[in-house]
Amino acid sequence: MVLPTNAISASEMLNEPGVAGNGTVTSATLVVAPHPIAARTITIPTSGYVLAMGTAQADIIHTNGTASVSFWGVNNRASAFLDNHALTISIPSVAPGSLNPYRQPVTVQALFGVPAGANTFYFLAAGFGDVRATEVQLTLLFFPTAYGTVTGATGAGEAHAPDEEVFPVSRAELSDGLAESPEQRGGDAVGGERELSGLLAQMEARIASLEQQLANLSLTEGEER
């Protein structure tokens, strides 16, 4: 017996790829805690893999004397970056300030092992300084089968704050500190600004230390040659 063309639908075969997406041109100003700038749910017929891809334009109104830093990623959790990536865009404090934004394209992606049913994914961002996300697009691609070894496919719950080696305080801790009232911090608004300036100074010092280590390594390699 030969079935006619299209006699069995894709939903019955459970082996068709599928897509979902969400795009917006709305400008979103980033805050210090990881938060969604786009989200989308994809409902899949069977277990498999979802490739989540986020793209955006980072518009940064930079002020000389203050570092502008932002973090970007995709995840199936709405409040944390994945353990294996959080793309970082930074403008050092010594860079000239401008009312015209510095602009940087952003693309992040990650592959997730997923169960059948509804699965929600988030395009996440975090930052301090005047950093805005525009031209935001989140695209989800479902694949029922792996035709090769999949290494590092991330499931739910494997996430952390970004770049703790460079930035010595987690995004959650910093956000908690900023959320407290001046009375809770034991000082006024000026004291809160001084505390944030101290954290930024720690980050700048750490970055300078890493740059010096790289410079010393380059000199050593040159001498060996």
Side-chain angles (χ1 to χ4, degrees), residues 205-220:
R206 180 57 178 164
I207 292 174
S209 174
L210 292 173
E211 289 175 345
Q212 185 60 52
Q213 292 176 33
L214 291 173
N216 292 340
L217 181 60
S218 297
L219 289 173
T220 301

Side-chain angles (χ1 to χ4, degrees), residues 89-192:
I89 298 174
S90 63
I91 298 178
S93 60
V94 296
S98 175
L99 294 178
N100 296 317
Y102 290 79
R103 289 193 167 97
Q104 177 70 46
V106 178
T107 300
V108 289
Q109 59 84 26
L111 183 65
F112 298 82
V114 291
N119 292 267
T120 303
F121 294 88
Y122 305 91
F123 186 6
L124 301 173
F128 50 90
D130 190 348
V131 184
R132 303 168 191 176
T134 64
E135 312 295 340
V136 176
Q137 179 73 51
L138 174 63
T139 303
L140 307 177
L141 306 174
F142 167 67
F143 302 94
T145 305
Y147 291 107
T149 301
V150 177
T151 302
T154 307
E158 300 174 20
H160 77 152
D163 293 338
E164 286 152 345
E165 184 67 21
V166 173
F167 192 74
V169 59
S170 73
R171 240 42 51 195
E173 291 171 337
L174 183 54
S175 116
D176 288 345
L178 294 178
E180 292 174 349
S181 67
E183 292 76 12
Q184 288 173 314
R185 288 198 301 267
D188 55 15
V190 174

Side-chain angles (χ1 to χ4, degrees), residues 15-158:
N15 66 349
E16 289 289 318
V19 300
N22 184 16
T24 176
V25 296
T26 302
S27 177
T29 301
L30 306 189
V31 298
V32 294
H35 61 285
I37 56 175
R40 181 60 75 212
T41 298
I42 184 169
T43 302
I44 55 179
T46 185
S47 61
Y49 300 92
V50 167
L51 176 63
M53 298 184 294
T55 61
Q57 177 175 284
D59 289 351
I60 306 168
I61 305 297
H62 180 66
T63 302
N64 179 260
T66 301
S68 300
V69 182
S70 58
F71 305 91
W72 310 78
V74 288
N75 201 359
N76 53 7
R77 293 176 57 190
S79 59
F81 292 102
L82 287 173
D83 186 56
N84 60 353
H85 82 100
L87 184 149
T88 305
I89 298 174
S90 63
I91 298 178
S93 60
V94 296
S98 175
L99 294 178
N100 296 317
Y102 290 79
R103 289 193 167 97
Q104 177 70 46
V106 178
T107 300
V108 289
Q109 59 84 26
L111 183 65
F112 298 82
V114 291
N119 292 267
T120 303
F121 294 88
Y122 305 91
F123 186 6
L124 301 173
F128 50 90
D130 190 348
V131 184
R132 303 168 191 176
T134 64
E135 312 295 340
V136 176
Q137 179 73 51
L138 174 63
T139 303
L140 307 177
L141 306 174
F142 167 67
F143 302 94
T145 305
Y147 291 107
T149 301
V150 177
T151 302
T154 307
E158 300 174 20

